[in-house]
Amino acid sequence: MDINGIVRTTHNYNFHSHSEYCDGRAPIAEMAESAWRCGMEHYGVSPHSPVPIPSPCNMAAEQTDAYFTEMERVKEIYTGRMNLYTGMEIDFLSPDWGPHIDYFQNLPLEYRIGSVHFVPTQDGIPVDCDGKFERFADNLKRAYEGDLRYVVERYFEQVLTMLERGGFDILGHADKIAANAAGADAEIENQGWYRALIEDVARHAASAGVLVEINTKALADKKRFFPARRWWEIFAAEGCRFVVNSDAHRPERITSGREEAFSELAKIEEEKKKADSACY
């Protein structure tokens, strides 16, 4: 599978989606049918990986064989009509659990998304910082002693360590923590230290050679991308390559926000061309 080649030659792809094998809301067959009807040429399914801690959002390890079997069945249905790929969104918890470990490297996956959803507390206990703000606010108070900056810095530390360890093709929603962090402090993304963290992630992502995901899932509801639109030029300046994914959990969300993302990326490319021409 040549993800880079696909991304360079067409917009008719989506490599981040979920089904009933994790916290998605539809069977794989229904998600694939929607993707095909939306004109996708390349479509990937990426369940949240198994994790060694309780999590209602992640696929159980004992379901992986059934997942691979179902993917092969659905692939046959779309042979000659749409390329369907078996992927996984792998949670990085620590140097002992992430995309780089043998367990995930030995699974018959065609691509891997590396993502951070869990941030360890000051006592080293991983806590899911994604999802509804109300739950995050409660965890911030009870699990993290109210220290928002600690949570944000540890989140990005997890991202950086994951990039250093490698083992994946796509960096998933690089600043996802901002969704809830901004709910706790609306000015947090305007802080110099926060920007410095983004710049560090951009440098590491470029060095790792992974595709940086523009995640469009929250555009309709929260009016934002991940990473936030304000940071795209930073990633581009470092030489990062982008992939636009909708992170769809429902069939009707396969293309949600993707057109807007491609439009914004086109503006960056146009500005780059103008800058390059001005040098001659």
Side-chain angles (χ1 to χ4, degrees):
M1 180 185 180
D2 180 12
I3 297 182
N4 286 288
I6 292 169
V7 171
R8 284 195 300 266
T9 56
T10 182
H11 289 176
N12 296 325
Y13 67 79
N14 191 13
F15 298 119
H16 192 161
S17 66
H18 299 280
S19 73
E20 289 180 338
Y21 277 92
C22 56
D23 61 346
R25 297 295 186 266
I28 290 172
E30 288 187 21
M31 298 297 289
E33 175 71 10
S34 179
W36 179 71
R37 291 188 178 280
C38 289
M40 292 293 164
E41 300 170 25
H42 305 274
Y43 178 66
V45 181
S46 54
H48 291 289
S49 70
V51 289
I53 56 177
S55 172
C57 297
N58 291 71
M59 180 169 64
E62 55 267 26
Q63 290 184 302
T64 55
D65 286 346
Y67 164 62
F68 291 122
T69 298
E70 177 64 2
M71 284 299 298
E72 291 306 308
R73 185 189 74 83
V74 179
K75 281 182 180 182
E76 291 185 7
I77 297 173
Y78 291 93
T79 299
R81 295 191 291 165
M82 178 177 70
N83 294 306
L84 190 60
Y85 304 97
T86 304
M88 186 173 286
E89 183 180 15
I90 303 172
D91 271 297
F92 182 88
L93 300 182
S94 73
D96 296 323
W97 192 271
H100 62 288
I101 68 173
D102 289 344
Y103 172 74
F104 293 116
Q105 290 301 303
N106 292 331
L107 290 178
L109 296 166
E110 292 173 277
Y111 69 98
R112 296 165 180 82
I113 301 173
S115 295
V116 173
H117 299 94
F118 296 83
V119 176
T121 66
Q122 290 90 332
D123 294 326
I125 301 171
V127 174
D128 187 354
C129 288
D130 201 12
K132 293 183 178 181
F133 174 74
E134 291 76 16
R135 183 182 67 170
F136 174 82
D138 185 62
N139 285 334
L140 177 63
K141 178 181 179 180
R142 298 176 183 274
Y144 298 107
E145 302 173 4
D147 193 339
L148 181 62
R149 180 162 176 170
Y150 167 85
V151 176
V152 173
E153 290 183 334
R154 286 290 279 138
Y155 171 88
F156 284 113
E157 182 181 323
Q158 293 282 84
V159 174
L160 293 173
T161 305
M162 181 176 69
L163 285 166
E164 291 170 353
R165 296 302 174 110
F168 60 99
D169 308 285
I170 298 171
L171 172 60
H173 44 58
D175 67 346
K176 190 69 184 295
I177 191 63
N180 281 326
D185 179 0
E187 291 298 312
I188 196 164
E189 292 173 276
N190 296 327
Q191 304 303 317
W193 62 266
Y194 186 97
R195 180 186 177 94
L197 291 170
I198 293 291
E199 292 172 343
D200 207 8
V201 170
R203 286 192 293 271
H204 278 71
S207 178
V210 298
L211 288 166
V212 174
E213 176 183 79
I214 302 297
N215 188 300
T216 65
K217 175 184 177 180
L219 185 63
D221 299 331
K222 298 182 179 180
K223 309 303 179 186
R224 68 176 301 152
F225 299 104
F226 301 105
R229 174 61 182 87
R230 64 164 76 180
W231 310 127
W232 294 7
E233 280 84 359
I234 292 176
F235 283 91
E238 291 292 341
C240 293
R241 294 158 295 136
F242 297 108
V243 55
V244 177
N245 291 323
S246 69
D247 194 355
H249 285 60
R250 303 175 185 273
E252 63 270 20
R253 294 294 187 96
I254 296 292
T255 61
S256 181
R258 297 181 76 256
E259 183 177 345
E260 293 88 341
F262 283 120
S263 177
E264 291 300 313
L265 285 174
K267 294 176 183 178
I268 293 176
E269 185 61 29
E270 185 60 30
E271 288 300 315
K272 182 179 183 300
K273 290 179 180 178
K274 290 180 181 179
D276 290 344
S277 64
C279 295
Y280 295 96

